[in-house]
Amino acid sequence: MTYCLAIKVNSGLILASDSRTNAGVDYVSTYSKMHVFGTPGERFFVLLTAGNLATSQAVVNTLKRDLDNPAAPVSLNTVEYLFDAAHYIGSVSNRVQQGHADALKQTGVSPEASFILGGQIRDKTHDIYLVYPQGNYIAASPETPYLQIGESKYGKPILDRVITPATSLEDAARCALVSLDSTMRSNISVGPPLELTFYRKDGLSTERHLTLEANSPLIRRIQRGWNDGLRRAFNGLSRFEWEPKDE
């Protein structure tokens, strides 16, 4: 299992992921699920991956191969719109899955993988897309300006309560870290190191990239601040009418 999310705000994008994969509690490995592509000043893409590791690695390798091949009919260097890139990634993923479906069916292992693509091409609008295992995709909306893949349920409430298009890039990043921390607390199959990429609108390159271990001072401060804030909010909730009134 894994957890990845992307947040789109007016000022840019935040993309975040954990790095844990497992095939049972006795076999845990660490792999980066965040992949950056593009040409600075021209185009910028971040791809987050979840699901079957072999499928996601095959998709990423195909994207890299096509980038190195000027004769490739389509690549991340040639798409004109971000949704074209989402369609291309979906097609590659679907093709990879079909190639392994029969062999994996015998073992009961699913070849499915899902992706979040974020980025911007030249003067087009920055955006994020969720690419489903079937190859189709959706974009975020002003009402729900974030996308998640993997173990999404534990980290969703904070996103629903905090994130709007007007949220600052730094607040969106803090929200992403709280969302990841909430998921790690509830599901041991999600774990550090955490990766966090800041993309500023029209920058067409990574503004800042953080890799955070479990004992990172930043992670510790955010965990402590969030836990203390929740306790204060809970202790301030209205009392039942039969409870003793505070003096």
Side-chain angles (χ1 to χ4, degrees), residues 26-193:
D26 59 347
Y27 188 79
V28 176
S29 302
T30 297
Y31 289 92
S32 175
K33 299 158 190 174
M34 182 179 293
H35 308 272
V36 180
F37 304 90
T39 303
E42 165 69 19
R43 55 188 60 213
F44 173 80
F45 306 100
V46 177
L47 186 67
L48 307 177
T49 67
N52 186 285
L53 183 61
T55 296
S56 60
Q57 288 189 347
V59 170
V60 170
N61 288 338
T62 300
L63 302 184
K64 292 178 178 178
R65 183 196 64 195
D66 290 348
L67 282 170
D68 291 338
N69 179 13
V74 62
S75 76
L76 293 177
N77 270 343
T78 61
V79 293
E80 285 296 317
Y81 294 89
L82 202 63
F83 62 78
D84 290 330
H87 179 79
Y88 161 58
I89 291 166
S91 298
V92 172
S93 175
N94 195 262
R95 189 164 65 246
V96 168
Q97 290 178 62
Q98 291 300 317
H100 298 291
D102 291 340
L104 290 177
K105 188 182 298 183
Q106 306 301 320
T107 64
V109 175
S110 171
E112 291 189 347
S114 52
F115 304 86
I116 294 176
L117 174 69
Q120 186 176 9
I121 298 175
R122 293 189 297 276
D123 57 348
K124 310 291 194 307
T125 302
H126 64 288
D127 216 335
I128 51 177
Y129 287 86
L130 190 160
V131 182
Y132 292 105
Q134 295 76 19
N136 53 333
Y137 55 89
I138 62 168
S141 68
E143 294 75 25
T144 308
Y146 65 85
L147 297 170
Q148 303 167 281
I149 52 176
E151 184 56 271
S152 60
K153 57 183 177 291
Y154 302 111
K156 187 175 186 294
I158 178 65
L159 301 173
D160 286 335
R161 291 179 181 274
V162 172
I163 298 298
T164 72
T167 302
S168 74
L169 204 59
E170 288 74 19
D171 280 347
R174 277 184 282 271
C175 189
L177 289 176
V178 171
S179 181
L180 280 162
D181 179 63
S182 298
T183 304
M184 289 191 295
R185 282 177 171 269
S186 299
N187 190 321
I188 61 171
S189 70
V190 176

Side-chain angles (χ1 to χ4, degrees), residues 179-231:
S179 181
L180 280 162
D181 179 63
S182 298
T183 304
M184 289 191 295
R185 282 177 171 269
S186 299
N187 190 321
I188 61 171
S189 70
V190 176
L194 308 180
E195 292 191 74
L196 189 69
T197 287
F198 293 69
Y199 173 73
R200 188 79 56 180
K201 180 181 72 171
D202 299 330
L204 297 175
S205 64
T206 302
E207 178 173 284
R208 190 168 279 106
H209 177 85
L210 305 179
T211 300
L212 303 167
E213 299 290 345
N215 60 354
S216 157
L218 175 60
I219 293 294
R220 293 285 183 86
R221 290 195 301 270
I222 284 178
Q223 288 173 333
R224 186 165 55 249
W226 183 244
N227 291 342
D228 291 347
L230 283 177
R231 290 192 187 97

